[in-house]
Amino acid sequence: MRTAIPQTARPWCTPWSARIWRLPRRRTEHRARSILREVLARAGVPDARSAELELVAAELAANGVRHARPPYELRVLFAGSTRHPVWCELADSAPSLGRVPELLGAPSGPGPGGDRDALIATLALGGRGLALVHGLTAGRCAAYPTITCTAPGLGKAVGFSLLEPPGVR
């Protein structure tokens, strides 16, 4: 015989919800930043942290405009209610992840020989914004295939945590 576990005893079963905004082709990064600012303000996120997360959203939106094709979407995942945003992602209809997962990883540094010229040459090819995303999110970011709500076929999303990194208060 199975006994039901009360909902209050199952914190991992928190209801989730998502909100999706279609971003315009022009001023995409401005609109992404504005939407996220409003979401974070409603959740009571401190201004300094909000500014960092807005910068991340703007960088990812600008990358989408530069390297992908519309439609562009900003999606926010909420835990429990719309007062607790936990994850944000920018999606587009270009299916290739390209070097995005690699560039979202921790910067490798100059290497064993201290070859800073090689590191600078690598970053000169692009990806500095994704290194910024990695740093501002404490590495809690990812790229993955997805679909957009307004275009057929596979696309991609680059997402990041909206929660404070461990050890930060």
Side-chain angles (χ1 to χ4, degrees):
M1 181 171 162
R2 295 177 69 181
T3 305
I5 300 172
Q7 183 69 28
T8 56
R10 298 183 289 171
W12 63 90
C13 295
T14 302
W16 298 91
S17 63
R19 179 109 191 255
I20 301 168
W21 292 266
R22 185 166 183 185
L23 299 173
R25 291 180 189 215
R26 299 182 57 133
R27 299 184 49 121
T28 307
E29 57 278 358
H30 174 74
R31 182 69 178 129
R33 196 174 191 143
S34 161
I35 292 167
L36 191 57
R37 179 182 308 120
E38 184 178 324
V39 166
L40 297 174
R42 285 185 183 166
V45 174
D47 289 344
R49 180 67 181 149
S50 181
E52 292 175 348
L53 295 171
E54 290 171 39
L55 181 59
V56 170
E59 177 60 33
L60 294 178
N63 279 357
V65 170
R66 182 173 182 190
H67 300 289
R69 60 182 183 264
Y72 309 112
E73 295 174 353
L74 178 105
R75 305 170 183 174
V76 178
L77 180 65
F78 298 89
S81 75
T82 56
R83 292 272 307 150
H84 303 290
V86 296
W87 187 259
C88 181
E89 63 186 24
L90 281 290
D92 59 57
S93 63
S96 174
L97 293 175
R99 295 182 56 216
V100 175
E102 168 196 347
L103 294 169
L104 278 175
S108 59
D115 190 356
R116 292 189 190 282
D117 291 336
L119 176 62
I120 290 168
T122 299
L123 290 175
L125 297 174
R128 291 178 301 279
L130 294 177
L132 176 73
V133 167
H134 175 88
L136 290 175
T137 63
R140 295 169 315 134
C141 50
Y144 37 87
T146 191
I147 57 171
T148 61
C149 293
T150 54
L154 195 60
K156 73 173 163 306
V158 182
F160 57 98
S161 176
L162 296 173
L163 302 175
E164 283 288 345
V168 175
R169 290 192 189 244

